[in-house]
Amino acid sequence: MKEFESFKRIGTTPHRSYYIPFATEDVIKNKYGIVDRTSSSRFLSLDGVWQIEQHDHIDDFDVNEKLSKTIPVPSCVQMHGYDHIQYLNTRYPFPVMLPHIPYENPCWHYRRTFNLKKQDNERYYINFEGVDSAFYLYINGSYKGYSQISHSTSEFDITELVVNGENTIDVLVLKWCISTYLECQDKFRFSGIFRNVYLLNRPEKHITDYKIETKLSGTDGELVFINESSVDITLNFNDNTVLAPAGKNTIIKVENVLLWTAEEPNLYTLELQACGEKIIEKVGFREVTIDGKVFKINGVPVKLKGVNRHDFNCETAATVSLENLVEDIQLMKELNVNAVRTSHYPNSPEFYQLCDAIGLYVMDEADIEMHGACTRDGCYEIELWSEYAENEFFTPGITDRITALVERDKNRSSVIIWSLGNESSFGKAFFDGAKFAKNRDNTRPVHYEGLQNADPKYYYSDMVDMVSMMYPSFETIREKVLNNPEETRPFVMCEYTHAMGNSCGDIAEYWDMIYNNEQMMGGFVWEWADHGIKTDKGFLYGGDFEEPEHDGNFCADGLLTPDRKLKSNALEMKAVYGGKTKSEITEVEIPESTYKFSSGIKIEVNEHTGEITSIKVDGNEILHTPMHFNITRYTDNDRDLIPHWIDRCHLSSCKPYIFSCEKTENNYSFTGVMAANCLMPAVEFKLNYEVSGNELIATIEYKIADYIQNLPRFGLEFGVDKAHSNFSYVGFGPTESYNDKHIACEYGYYVSSAEENYDRKYIHPQESGSHYACEYLAVKDLFRVTAEKPFSCSVNPFTTEQLRETLHSFELEENDFVNVCIDIAMRGVGSHSCGPDLPEKYEIPREGKNTFRFKF
């Protein structure tokens, strides 16, 4: 059994378009706006409880062995106690020894029975919509075949093997096969029969395949039906009945046709009838064209406001239900998304029908990613990618995957672009597949970002119709696209504004460019939702399952949480996709205070550090932690700066050292530095405290040392009693806001609380809840702050250190105080976890000064 070292599929039917046949007399029902396939009498679901047994390698398999355990199908075996959960991004999960895979290769023997009333002149087809990574099929103990391509349908004609009465299906699923070299996507690596399984019973002669195209001419449309079957088909369409001869094209004209777009997804019903069965297709009239540098739909320039979406459910992993799909699409519509890229494989067939019905443009991507090729020497070498892309050993596998993609989804109106795969470079191994896509379907353009990491001779290949990049800087876009006279193709960002943690600070600036340049088609945010496994404690990520190789929390990189709750990233995207790219500071009246102010305050200051250790208001202590300088933070976008900030510059260990102190009864003046052991000072500062009645006036100046690349912030931090967790402010709100991320916000007066302010939805705790450009902060019943210049501030349940050092949200320890941060300056959040450097204008100034007036 060495099929697993070959790209061949054995015993499967040819790839075809997705459809479900009904008996002529069946009453067709709809569910979520699409045909409910379970209402077909010719459809038998084989989902449910199957028997299962795990083996360490394929040689242990015996088709007749007794199976003692059970598992639901569809599901992922790792979610049911088998094997182990592992998250990897850019690496293969086993030793890279092409064309071989390890002998120790976990596999799972599945079995179930079903009853059949076998009829003469009927054929029986079993369909597996998704099995990771490959599988052998046996019917009633007899070998039928072998298939691979995890995210594509495998169909077998089992007519000769089934019997009247009870039948037994045995399936041996392999964790790895040769295809694993082509399926190195950034995701948890799950295995098993993870999508639906069903049986179709059909007439001896029946419809096999067909292609539907639509053309526009003025206000009229043409439906071109290409009958690729060996039987004539009767078409019922728009109150007309037309015969479509076998092997021929049939054209149906429609006057004053209603067009299909993501905004107005008008669909016409086409019924196919032949040989005692009928098939329902929903057809949208639309044309996709490239006019010079401009991407158009129905002759109108379109901007793709997109997201990248993985199939993922926090409780069922790669197994997603129809309800999950509906929820995602409806949320996308609510967030002003009009396009989705199926990263990095075809989704389940019903997803595209839902996109047709609800209205989403789809960039449909082949199940191809060879990311591990460029990391197989322990580094990240682009040249190693090219070696695999140029290696024609991969040609059959790549071609079969692109063929499967195009053939299955060719009749879906929502599919507007074919994508050849992801992060696999480009070379000879891709030629046949790319040519197939263009020759088989000339109604859609072809996308492939892999040209960016291929031999430069391929960069302007006519096999790809648009230029695509991931996470380009604004300078790169201008240099390589907008100001490049050789670049005549439309430009799309297939991934941009990496949404990991507190992120998407650059999305508005990208869309300023997109809205103002016709060559720019738009982009797809990476990515739609975090990947995190739900447990009683909370969400887990890479490394939490004792797997020796993993990529940490890099899978928690979505606009939404794993259970589909919105984060501020999603709200920022919604605002920008809705057409807003600016949010201005306006005049806001600060409400008159109704508080009774104190008659006076007293402070105690540590003359060696400059920290205020006590503030007593009418004799009552209000500080739970000293008022001290704050120069650190953690966000996932800061991760690449951690080696500089923490490992080299030891910012988290910096302490204040006072060089001079002048004091009077109501005034303290200090000069000093922030410094860590073994290093020069990181920051010079001047600090002045003045007490005047019930007011504390704090004037702070800072200057960053030359050897410090940048600082995340500079300000004050202190704790106050938990009874004072309510606060109000004038600034950008109501959600968190930063100098580069406040488009979803409006400038105004807001009331909140520490608990509401901090976003616990970040799987990995981090900086959250700051408010940009504030001119006023009031902590209820305690104090109010104004300043000479706008400032950033937050009132949170947790300290900066807690948010910097804790690995999981559920591990944050509650305090008996709330934490107040008041910053002279706060660095922008950007999207650098996988994107460009933060533009200099969003860094904090290297020198700064502000005066804060606290009134108690």
Side-chain angles (χ1 to χ4, degrees):
M1 299 170 76
K2 281 288 189 179
E3 292 89 349
F4 54 82
E5 291 189 350
S6 164
F7 289 111
K8 291 181 180 178
R9 300 189 317 140
I10 300 169
T12 56
T13 62
H15 296 299
R16 63 165 175 86
S17 57
Y18 169 76
Y19 57 81
I20 296 296
F22 286 72
T24 306
E25 64 275 10
D26 284 344
V27 176
I28 298 175
K29 298 178 182 179
N30 289 323
K31 190 174 185 179
Y32 301 117
I34 66 174
V35 170
D36 180 1
R37 63 189 186 181
T38 65
S39 63
S40 170
S41 62
R42 293 190 173 276
F43 175 95
L44 175 64
S45 172
L46 296 174
D47 295 345
V49 177
W50 291 48
Q51 294 175 291
I52 191 171
E53 197 70 43
Q54 176 171 301
H55 296 299
D56 292 334
H57 42 75
I58 197 170
D59 290 347
D60 293 339
F61 167 73
D62 179 353
V63 70
N64 296 312
E65 68 186 323
K66 182 179 179 180
L67 307 186
S68 59
K69 303 179 183 68
T70 61
I71 192 170
V73 170
S75 69
C76 300
V77 297
Q78 288 85 358
M79 299 298 286
H80 293 271
Y82 299 97
D83 195 43
H84 65 273
I85 295 174
Q86 181 180 32
Y87 164 63
L88 283 174
N89 177 9
T90 63
R91 293 176 287 170
Y92 289 124
F94 49 56
V96 184
M97 43 194 184
L98 186 74
H100 306 293
I101 60 171
Y103 173 73
E104 297 292 335
N105 182 13
C107 50
W108 297 273
H109 181 181
Y110 289 77
R111 179 184 294 149
R112 75 155 290 164
T113 60
F114 68 96
N115 287 304
L116 183 69
K117 292 183 179 179
K118 189 174 183 181
Q119 304 290 323
D120 293 337
N121 299 317
E122 292 271 312
R123 303 209 68 81
Y124 299 90
Y125 299 88
I126 190 170
N127 281 259
F128 296 82
E129 289 190 336
V131 180
D132 196 326
S133 69
F135 66 101
Y136 295 87
L137 174 64
Y138 296 78
I139 303 296
N140 294 323
S142 297
Y143 173 66
K144 174 55 190 177
Y146 168 86
S147 191
Q148 54 192 317
I149 310 180
S150 295
H151 299 87
S152 292
T153 302
S154 298
E155 183 178 62
F156 299 84
D157 182 346
I158 58 173
T159 307
E160 310 308 323
L161 297 178
V162 292
V163 297
N164 189 48
E166 185 175 83
N167 292 266
T168 300
I169 309 168
D170 287 276
V171 178
L172 181 65
V173 176
L174 310 185
K175 180 173 182 178
W176 301 315
C177 67
I178 193 66
S179 285
T180 308
Y181 285 100
L182 292 175
E183 296 179 5
C184 188
Q185 291 101 341
D186 173 14
K187 61 184 179 69
F188 280 102
R189 308 296 174 92
F190 291 112
S191 313
I193 304 175
F194 68 96
R195 286 184 182 165
N196 303 112
V197 185
Y198 53 87
L199 187 75
L200 299 177
N201 64 290
R202 310 198 61 190
E204 183 70 36
K205 291 186 176 181
H206 56 261
I207 298 168
T208 51
D209 207 0
Y210 50 88
K211 189 170 188 287
I212 300 169
E213 297 178 359
T214 59
K215 298 180 180 180
L216 305 179
S217 178
T219 60
D220 300 334
E222 279 187 0
L223 186 152
V224 181
F225 183 86
I226 304 166
N227 185 351
E228 299 175 343
S229 306
S230 59
V231 298
D232 295 343
I233 302 173
T234 299
L235 306 178
N236 295 311
F237 180 81
N238 212 26
D239 297 326
N240 292 310
T241 299
V242 178
L243 183 67
K248 302 291 185 181
N249 295 2
T250 300
I251 296 175
I252 303 174
K253 296 185 181 295
V254 181
E255 295 181 352
N256 298 314
V257 69
L258 297 174
L259 302 181
W260 186 94
T261 64
E263 293 69 36
E264 295 186 28
N266 297 301
L267 293 173
Y268 289 78
T269 300
L270 172 66
E271 183 184 82
L272 291 62
Q273 286 198 9
C275 308
E277 63 180 12
K278 61 185 177 183
I279 296 168
I280 300 297
E281 288 283 1
K282 298 291 186 177
V283 180
F285 281 80
R286 59 106 186 92
E287 278 190 339
V288 183
T289 56
I290 292 175
D291 184 1
K293 297 181 179 181
V294 183
F295 177 79
K296 295 182 176 181
I297 294 178
N298 303 333
V300 178
V302 167
K303 301 295 187 184
L304 300 178
K305 301 172 181 179
V307 293
N308 284 273
R309 180 189 171 277
H310 268 291
D311 270 345
F312 184 79
N313 178 297
C314 60
E315 296 182 276
T316 57
T319 298
V320 295
S321 66
L322 186 61
E323 289 72 22
N324 294 152
L325 300 177
V326 172
E327 179 187 17
D328 274 359
I329 294 171
Q330 289 178 340
L331 274 171
M332 288 177 192
K333 298 289 285 188
E334 291 171 14
L335 293 172
N336 295 323
V337 171
N338 71 359
V340 60
R341 176 182 178 223
T342 65
S343 51
H344 301 291
Y345 42 78
N347 288 184
S348 65
E350 289 174 304
F351 177 78
Y352 303 85
Q353 292 183 319
L354 291 167
C355 290
D356 287 352
I358 300 172
L360 273 182
Y361 299 123
V362 178
M363 178 185 282
D364 202 6
E365 190 150 274
D367 196 353
I368 299 170
E369 180 168 341
M370 295 193 288
H371 217 136
C374 71
T375 60
R376 68 187 194 269
D377 69 345
C379 297
Y380 198 96
E381 303 290 348
I382 299 301
E383 294 76 15
L384 295 178
W385 241 343
S386 295
E387 284 182 18
Y388 274 27
E390 294 282 12
N391 186 347
E392 293 180 82
F393 168 80
F394 288 108
T395 297
I398 291 174
T399 303
D400 197 26
R401 287 159 185 272
I402 295 172
T403 301
L405 171 82
V406 174
E407 292 294 3
R408 196 196 69 174
D409 298 335
K410 59 183 177 285
N411 294 327
R412 298 278 64 83
S413 305
S414 54
V415 175
I416 60 168
I417 299 169
W418 301 121
S419 180
L420 301 180
N422 185 63
E423 292 179 312
S424 301
S425 188
F426 187 76
K428 295 173 185 175
F430 278 84
F431 289 1
D432 288 353
K435 290 174 182 176
F436 173 85
K438 292 187 74 67
N439 293 335
R440 178 67 168 125
D441 179 45
N442 62 9
T443 69
R444 298 174 177 92
V446 171
H447 162 273
Y448 189 52
E449 183 274 342
L451 296 176
Q452 298 293 336
N453 295 305
D455 190 314
K457 69 185 178 184
Y458 297 127
Y459 192 74
Y460 294 103
S461 169
D462 61 4
M463 291 182 242
V464 177
D465 298 304
M466 59 195 68
V467 60
S468 176
M469 295 181 189
M470 295 181 180
Y471 314 108
S473 66
F474 305 114
E475 293 76 15
T476 297
I477 294 171
R478 282 187 280 266
E479 176 187 345
K480 295 193 70 173
V481 181
L482 301 179
N483 298 332
N484 179 6
E486 293 184 59
E487 188 52 83
T488 59
R489 300 168 292 183
F491 168 62
V492 67
M493 294 180 290
C494 66
E495 295 177 21
Y496 81 114
T497 195
H498 197 258
M500 185 176 182
N502 189 349
S503 188
C504 299
D506 48 14
I507 189 170
E509 203 160 345
Y510 276 118
W511 277 86
D512 267 339
M513 291 186 77
I514 293 167
Y515 286 134
N516 289 295
N517 289 278
E518 64 176 9
Q519 190 174 6
M520 297 185 72
M521 296 167 55
F524 297 82
V525 175
W526 186 269
E527 67 171 308
W528 173 240
D530 290 339
H531 301 222
I533 304 299
K534 187 175 182 179
T535 68
D536 292 340
K537 296 185 298 183
F539 294 113
L540 303 182
Y541 49 73
D544 291 334
F545 306 96
E546 300 183 2
E547 69 271 46
E549 295 85 30
H550 63 85
D551 285 303
N553 72 313
F554 206 69
C555 54
D557 55 1
L559 296 159
L560 280 62
T561 63
D563 55 353
R564 292 347 191 225
K565 293 181 174 63
L566 303 186
K567 295 186 283 186
S568 63
N569 302 345
L571 300 177
E572 192 79 353
M573 179 195 71
K574 178 181 181 180
V576 172
Y577 279 5
K580 182 184 178 189
T581 59
K582 296 285 189 295
S583 191
E584 304 291 349
I585 295 176
T586 59
E587 286 192 17
V588 176
E589 184 176 347
I590 300 174
E592 287 293 325
S593 175
T594 58
Y595 305 141
K596 178 183 176 182
F597 287 100
S598 70
S599 57
I601 65 168
K602 290 184 179 180
I603 67 171
E604 295 179 10
V605 180
N606 184 326
E607 296 178 16
H608 303 291
T609 64
E611 297 176 349
I612 297 180
T613 57
S614 172
I615 300 177
K616 290 184 177 178
V617 180
D618 295 334
N620 298 311
E621 179 62 56
I622 71 162
L623 287 184
H624 272 241
T625 62
M627 184 181 288
H628 59 276
F629 285 134
N630 188 13
I631 63 171
T632 69
R633 76 173 191 193
Y634 173 82
T635 72
D636 288 322
N637 284 325
D638 297 334
R639 58 193 289 131
D640 286 349
L641 286 163
I642 297 302
H644 177 76
W645 288 347
I646 305 301
D647 300 337
R648 177 188 166 187
C649 301
H650 299 183
L651 294 186
S652 60
S653 302
C654 279
K655 298 177 181 178
Y657 293 88
I658 300 302
F659 294 158
S660 68
C661 171
E662 298 179 8
K663 66 176 183 176
T664 63
E665 182 180 356
N666 295 313
N667 190 287
Y668 292 83
S669 291
F670 301 98
T671 61
V673 298
M674 298 284 291
N677 289 343
C678 309
L679 296 175
M680 299 182 291
V683 183
E684 299 174 7
F685 64 81
K686 293 180 181 179
L687 176 61
N688 187 83
Y689 298 128
E690 179 184 349
V691 174
S692 176
N694 62 3
E695 289 191 334
L696 168 65
I697 302 164
T699 299
I700 306 168
E701 292 184 62
Y702 73 88
K703 181 180 179 181
I704 302 172
D706 291 342
Y707 82 96
I708 302 292
Q709 179 180 326
N710 51 24
L711 284 182
R713 73 194 319 161
F714 194 92
L716 297 172
E717 180 178 26
F718 56 96
V720 299
D721 193 275
K722 212 168 188 176
H724 302 286
S725 63
N726 293 331
F727 69 99
S728 57
Y729 63 96
V730 171
F732 281 105
T735 59
E736 58 193 12
S737 57
Y738 299 84
N739 59 9
D740 63 344
K741 180 185 178 180
H742 53 273
I743 307 305
C745 300
E746 297 291 346
Y747 201 78
Y749 172 78
Y750 297 96
V751 177
S752 187
S753 70
E755 189 59 43
E756 291 174 5
N757 193 57
Y758 177 71
D759 193 345
R760 292 178 183 264
K761 295 189 290 293
Y762 294 122
I763 294 177
H764 189 301
Q766 55 199 282
E767 158 60 36
S768 173
S770 187
H771 298 282
Y772 169 61
C774 290
E775 58 182 71
Y776 166 86
L777 167 67
V779 174
K780 189 175 182 181
D781 297 328
L782 206 59
F783 64 82
R784 60 192 298 180
V785 184
T786 56
E788 286 186 357
K789 302 173 185 176
F791 57 94
S792 291
C793 64
S794 64
V795 180
N796 283 336
F798 307 110
T799 66
T800 298
E801 181 180 14
Q802 285 178 289
L803 299 181
R804 190 183 68 231
E805 301 295 335
T806 308
L807 297 179
H808 297 86
S809 182
F810 59 79
E811 293 172 331
L812 286 167
E813 294 185 4
E814 299 295 330
N815 299 308
D816 61 355
F817 60 89
V818 293
N819 196 66
V820 181
C821 291
I822 299 174
D823 293 297
I824 296 177
M826 168 76 83
R827 188 174 189 265
V829 295
S831 65
H832 186 56
S833 52
C834 195
D837 292 338
L838 187 74
E840 183 64 31
K841 62 185 176 181
Y842 299 125
E843 298 285 0
I844 78 167
R846 299 197 70 81
E847 298 182 30
K849 180 180 180 180
N850 206 348
T851 297
F852 299 98
R853 186 178 293 269
F854 294 78
K855 188 172 183 179
F856 293 88

